[in-house]
């Protein structure tokens, strides 16, 4: 999704802006641009469609000590140079913007009447004209931005410069993340701290309503009431190591293979000899878990599927659990029972729909809010009573992989903690908990074993290269795993893929089965295996081709119509975490055959900060 970088320094900042944009590329974008105020106080604007490398080529003669830059993910207006940010007004003011301005039609009409020419189809252009207009009324840049944001409805993270104030960078935020990075006689802004890794370790996150005036040696922040405020200064722990491919062709492949290490980190310090420890989840965890009688979990995309798997665990342990997509939850009425814990799950911690759902939930009487998240200091983390981090490490590939499996591991540990309360206080750790803990410890090695299937999965992937559709089947907790497998395949290979609970086949989708419809099935050796086998027979009887990931003990064998890849026997609770890995690899290798842009699939963004 859109990214912002800005800088004010005593050196040429164009390389800092370009480098920052490259570091934000993983978020997904379709065009990029920068505006730099040069030594003659002229505003130099460069924009291009496609990669930041294109922008770099046309910016090699741009120099200056102040500037803003942007990667755009189109919402209003197609990806095109004139729609790319920065937007300018009278060639005096330049603005970069993340978010959506809802009253842009209204403002556009007023500004057209005042004679402002419009060059783009974006909602952002009204912001820059409005600032320009306020400056024409005699305001300095800071006060012009203050006046403008009062007139905006919607979400914004803004970076603003004007050639009339060549040492001043203005930042403003409401509903869209923005931070200030401190340097030595230079300061920066960014929508994500990873943009600033080489230039700044100290940073402050702006709060909603904040506006900051930033120069080389000063930062003044004003809150929504205009009062000057101090915001907490943090030290970033991000490093470049996490943003290197380390010999892998794609971040997605690297991240699939990192799952062994990532899960080890997720478990680190949270398991006792045969139990899940609660203290490492935070001081308030015990109290919050004690209050919890039931759960409401809200998330989007892959994070929603991890919640959907976890629902099977929670309910098996006697904890009522309802799971819902954030964008739906936001727009309906709710009945909240006493003692319901509101849980959000998010890799980025910045997903706008999830964030909006959390804000709404806080008004509805939930007992507490808990966030399962991968990114420290993200918006969801700040807004929740408690966060349990997944510790997946930085995920750059747009298609989530290690974020998903580490979410599942975290959720299983939470489920075990809540299960204890359902069973009653003062009990000894029982066999089930001991077994789950043992299996969790062995999970990194078990994932390593599944990764060893990669050569077979490459052979399997060749059957998908010329297909346009695929069906994924699973039952029980493996139904959401099938959904996650289908999502992975569709988002990176662009093959239309759908997932069904296998028992639903006969209620409609069976009509789709023929030799051109590969059917992928997840078949662990659980209590639903015999039912699943019957469903697979229904596919075979109609000439369908089956690709099955099965437990060695499932008794399923390859033949002319069926390709079976065996996974070592595993405890039922852990099985979903393991069975998603071959599906991730399958999607990756099919996408490789298709030649798609695997780490940055078309139209998608890593962090979805718009509605
Ligand atoms: C798919 C994927 C998305 C995200 C979704 C939520 O591979 O990554 O579906 O899961 O956009 O994002 P987070 O987890 O950051 O809230």
């Amino acid at each position: 999704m859109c990214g912002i970088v800005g800088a004010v320094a005593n050196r040429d900042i164009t390389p800092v802006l370009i480098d920052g944009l490259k570091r934000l590329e993983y978020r997904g974008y379709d065009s990029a641009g920068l505006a730099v105020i040069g030594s003659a106080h002229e505003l130099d604007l460069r924009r291009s469609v496609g990669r930041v490398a294109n922008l770099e080529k046309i910016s090699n003669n741009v120099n200056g000590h102040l500037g803003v830059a942007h990667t755009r993910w189109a919402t209003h207006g197609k990806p095109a140079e004139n729609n790319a940010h920065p937007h300018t007004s009278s060639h005096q003011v330049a603005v970069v913007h993340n978010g959506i301005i809802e009253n842009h039609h209204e403002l556009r009409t007023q500004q057209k009447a005042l004679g402002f020419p419009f060059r783009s189809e974006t909602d952002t252009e009204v912001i820059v004209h409005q600032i320009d207009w306020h400056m024409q009324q005699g305001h300095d840049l800071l006060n012009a931005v203050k006046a403008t944001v009062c007139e905006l409805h919607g979400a914004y993270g803004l970076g603003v410069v004007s050639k009339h104030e060549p040492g001043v960078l203005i930042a403003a935020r409401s509903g869209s993340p923005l931070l200030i990075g401190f340097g030595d006689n230079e300061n920066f802004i960014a929508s994500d701290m990873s943009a600033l890794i080489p230039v700044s370790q100290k940073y402050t996150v702006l709060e909603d309503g904040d506006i900051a005036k930033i120069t080389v040696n000063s930062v003044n922040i004003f809150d929504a009431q205009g009062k000057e405020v101090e915001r907490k200064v943090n030290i970033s722990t991000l490093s470049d190591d996490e943003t290197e491919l380390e010999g892998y062709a794609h971040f997605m492949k690297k991240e699939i293979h990192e799952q062994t290490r990532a899960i080890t980190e997720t478990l680190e310090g949270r398991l006792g000899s045969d139990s899940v420890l609660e203290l490492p989840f935070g001081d308030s965890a015990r109290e919050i878990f004690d209050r919890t009688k039931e759960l409401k979990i809200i998330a989007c995309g892959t994070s929603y599927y991890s919640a959907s798997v976890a629902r099977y665990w929670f309910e098996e342990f006697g904890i009522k659990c309802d799971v819902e997509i954030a964008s739906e939850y936001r727009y309906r009425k709710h009945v909240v029972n006493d003692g319901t814990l509101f849980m959000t799950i998010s890799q980025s911690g910045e997903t706008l729909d999830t964030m909006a759902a959390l804000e709404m939930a806080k008004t509805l009487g939930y007992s507490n809010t808990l966030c399962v998240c991968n990114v420290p200091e993200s918006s969801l983390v700040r807004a929740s009573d408690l966060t349990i981090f997944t510790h997946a490490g930085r995920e750059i590939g747009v298609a989530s992989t290690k974020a998903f499996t580490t979410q599942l591991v975290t959720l299983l540990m939470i489920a075990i903690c809540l299960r204890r309360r359902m069973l009653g206080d003062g009990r000894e750790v029982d066999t089930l908990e001991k077994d789950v803990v043992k299996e969790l410890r062995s999970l990194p090695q078990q994932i390593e074993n599944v990764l060893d299937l990669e050569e077979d999965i490459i052979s399997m992937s060749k059957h998908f290269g010329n297909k346009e559709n695929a069906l994924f089947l699973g039952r029980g907790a493996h139904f959401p795993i099938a959904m996650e497998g289908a999502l992975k395949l569709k988002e990176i290979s662009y093959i239309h893929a759908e997932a069904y609970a296998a028992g639903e086949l006969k209620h409609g989708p069976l009509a789709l089965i023929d030799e051109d419809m590969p059917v992928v099935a997840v078949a662990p050796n659980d209590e639903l295996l015999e039912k699943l086998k019957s469903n697979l027979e229904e596919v075979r009887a109609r000439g369908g081709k089956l690709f099955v990931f099965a437990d060695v003990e499932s008794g399923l064998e390859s033949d002319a119509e069926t390709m079976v890849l065996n996974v070592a026997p595993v405890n039922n609770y852990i099985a979903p975490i393991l069975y998603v890995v071959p599906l991730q690899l399958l999607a990756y290798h099919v996408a490789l055959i298709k030649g798609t842009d695997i780490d940055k699939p078309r139209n998608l963004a890593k962090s979805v900060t718009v509605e």
Side-chain angles (χ1 to χ4, degrees):
M1 201 112 300
C2 305
I4 288 177
V5 191
V8 54
N10 291 321
R11 56 172 165 149
D12 176 25
I13 46 80
T14 308
V16 175
L17 297 181
I18 294 283
D19 180 73
L21 291 187
K22 284 185 178 165
R23 290 168 184 277
L24 294 180
E25 283 191 297
Y26 78 96
R27 293 166 67 108
Y29 67 104
D30 44 53
S31 51
L34 55 79
V36 169
I37 310 286
S39 46
H41 298 181
E42 283 311 306
L43 195 155
D44 204 341
L45 176 70
R46 307 289 163 106
R47 298 180 295 185
S48 68
V49 174
R51 289 294 157 88
V52 173
N54 301 344
L55 177 70
E56 189 173 20
K57 276 191 210 131
I58 58 165
S59 305
N60 52 13
N61 58 348
V62 179
N63 295 297
H65 295 178
L66 171 70
V68 285
H70 191 260
T71 46
R72 172 173 187 256
W73 187 80
T75 56
H76 294 61
K78 60 186 175 304
E81 193 191 320
N82 67 314
N83 288 331
H85 301 208
H87 290 282
T88 58
S89 187
S90 321
H91 225 68
Q92 324 251 347
V93 189
V95 164
V96 288
H97 166 223
N98 286 358
I100 289 178
I101 301 305
E102 286 161 9
N103 59 334
H104 69 102
H105 279 303
E106 233 171 284
L107 288 168
R108 191 178 266 253
T109 311
Q110 291 165 14
Q111 293 168 355
K112 276 187 175 163
L114 290 168
F116 285 100
F118 276 82
R119 297 185 191 87
S120 80
E121 302 147 86
T122 65
D123 52 332
T124 302
E125 198 175 347
V126 298
I127 305 175
V128 72
H129 292 319
Q130 203 66 9
I131 296 170
D132 189 10
W133 187 77
H134 283 295
M135 288 187 87
Q136 288 174 26
Q137 308 312 301
H139 285 306
D140 63 4
L141 185 60
L142 174 67
N143 285 306
V145 175
K146 279 186 180 173
T148 298
V149 296
C150 293
E151 293 157 329
L152 302 178
H153 300 164
Y156 58 81
L158 295 178
V160 189
V161 294
S162 163
K163 70 178 201 178
H164 298 301
E165 296 184 39
V168 176
L169 171 62
I170 302 288
R173 102 156 247 197
S174 180
S176 206
L178 197 64
L179 52 87
I180 300 169
F182 302 96
D184 203 4
N185 277 329
E186 51 187 24
N187 289 310
F188 309 92
I189 59 168
S191 47
D192 176 334
M193 194 53 196
S194 62
L196 304 180
I197 289 174
V199 290
S200 173
Q201 271 73 49
K202 266 183 12 184
Y203 70 99
T204 280
V205 180
L206 290 180
E207 292 187 9
D208 273 347
D210 283 355
I211 300 183
K213 178 178 177 181
I214 303 158
T215 68
V216 283
N217 46 27
S218 67
V219 171
N220 301 90
I221 304 174
F222 304 89
D223 69 9
Q225 283 69 47
K227 196 168 120 247
E228 188 157 358
V229 285
E230 296 279 326
R231 298 283 179 227
K232 188 174 157 230
V233 176
N234 308 286
I235 305 295
S236 169
T237 50
L238 288 175
S239 75
D240 268 338
D241 301 353
E242 290 182 296
T243 53
E244 300 294 332
L245 275 167
E246 290 168 13
Y248 287 96
H250 297 95
F251 282 107
M252 183 179 180
K253 178 142 189 213
K254 179 183 171 218
E255 286 155 7
I256 291 173
H257 282 263
E258 269 174 1
Q259 288 178 109
T260 44
R261 196 178 77 202
I263 288 174
T264 308
E265 296 278 319
T266 312
L267 295 171
E268 180 69 37
R270 289 166 167 177
L271 299 181
S273 54
D274 53 11
S275 63
V276 175
L277 305 176
E278 292 188 5
L279 214 57
F281 291 143
D283 293 343
S284 55
R286 178 160 295 180
E287 211 183 302
I288 289 176
F289 289 164
D290 280 347
R291 270 201 288 270
T292 301
K293 296 199 189 88
E294 52 185 83
L295 288 170
K296 175 84 190 182
I297 315 185
I298 297 297
C300 304
T302 288
S303 297
Y304 169 74
Y305 295 140
S306 72
S308 307
V309 172
R311 183 168 67 94
Y312 287 87
W313 296 329
F314 286 119
E315 298 228 322
E316 176 137 2
F317 296 160
I319 306 137
K320 184 176 176 324
C321 175
D322 186 26
V323 175
E324 192 170 345
I325 294 166
S327 54
E328 287 297 314
Y329 175 85
R330 293 176 63 177
Y331 296 108
R332 67 179 190 84
K333 297 268 180 282
H334 301 277
V335 178
V336 180
N337 290 333
D338 270 2
T340 306
L341 174 66
F342 185 85
M343 194 192 296
T344 54
I345 304 179
S346 175
Q347 186 288 128
S348 62
E350 298 295 352
T351 302
L352 189 132
D353 284 320
T354 312
M355 185 65 201
L358 171 61
E359 291 302 347
M360 176 173 148
K362 284 177 166 179
T363 65
L364 296 177
Y366 287 96
S367 60
N368 282 104
T369 59
L370 164 65
C371 178
V372 170
C373 191
N374 190 37
V375 180
E377 288 133 24
S378 54
S379 304
L380 278 166
V381 171
R382 285 195 300 275
S384 303
D385 295 335
L386 172 68
T387 299
I388 300 187
F389 288 103
T390 53
H391 298 310
R394 199 163 142 81
E395 192 180 64
I396 291 181
V398 162
S400 231
T401 51
K402 61 177 182 169
F404 180 71
T405 45
T406 53
Q407 282 170 356
L408 288 177
V409 169
T410 309
L411 288 164
L412 184 52
M413 289 190 284
I414 296 172
I416 290 288
C417 294
L418 293 178
R419 173 178 179 267
R420 278 187 214 131
R421 279 136 178 105
M422 295 298 140
L423 295 175
D425 283 341
R427 303 175 88 261
E428 293 286 302
V429 176
D430 68 355
T431 319
L432 187 144
E433 180 164 349
K434 284 182 188 166
D435 283 352
V436 169
V437 167
K438 194 161 143 252
E439 292 293 324
L440 278 172
R441 276 193 211 292
S442 71
L443 191 57
Q445 183 53 52
Q446 307 217 43
I447 290 196
E448 202 65 62
N449 299 344
V450 172
L451 291 171
D452 287 343
L453 294 174
E454 188 155 6
E455 283 307 314
D456 295 322
I457 294 171
I458 291 172
S459 309
M460 190 185 267
S461 65
K462 295 183 180 137
H463 296 269
F464 290 72
N466 61 351
K467 296 288 186 282
E468 287 176 6
N469 302 289
L471 206 56
F472 283 68
L473 302 178
R475 295 196 73 135
H478 291 86
F479 169 40
I481 292 298
M483 291 198 268
E484 171 62 4
L487 178 65
K488 289 291 90 98
L489 187 70
K490 78 180 95 170
E491 65 184 331
I492 61 165
S493 76
Y494 313 152
I495 291 176
H496 167 234
E498 273 193 77
Y500 271 91
E504 270 293 294
L505 261 187
K506 55 190 176 295
H507 298 294
L510 210 47
L512 296 170
I513 303 298
D514 63 16
E515 64 280 9
D516 286 325
M517 173 70 88
V519 178
V520 180
V522 189
N525 189 12
D526 59 18
E527 67 288 355
L528 289 167
L529 178 65
E530 291 312 315
K531 307 263 179 226
L532 180 73
K533 280 183 177 170
S534 309
N535 304 138
L536 300 188
E537 283 309 319
E538 291 162 7
V539 173
R540 281 161 66 90
R542 276 126 192 122
K545 294 261 178 293
L546 282 168
F547 300 88
V548 188
F549 296 97
D551 186 301
V552 255
E553 291 168 3
S554 298
L556 286 155
E557 280 172 21
S558 296
D559 60 23
E561 270 71 50
T562 306
M563 185 171 180
V564 180
L565 285 188
N566 284 322
V567 174
V570 61
N571 170 301
N572 282 351
Y573 294 111
I574 310 294
I577 312 175
L578 206 59
Y579 275 81
V580 76
V581 177
L583 301 184
Q584 297 167 344
L585 282 172
L586 179 65
Y588 175 79
H589 286 289
V590 175
L592 212 53
I593 293 169
K594 293 280 223 176
T596 56
D597 192 349
I598 293 181
D599 283 335
K600 300 184 195 84
R602 67 184 182 203
N603 308 336
L604 297 182
K606 183 69 189 161
S607 171
V608 185
T609 49
V610 293
E611 189 170 354

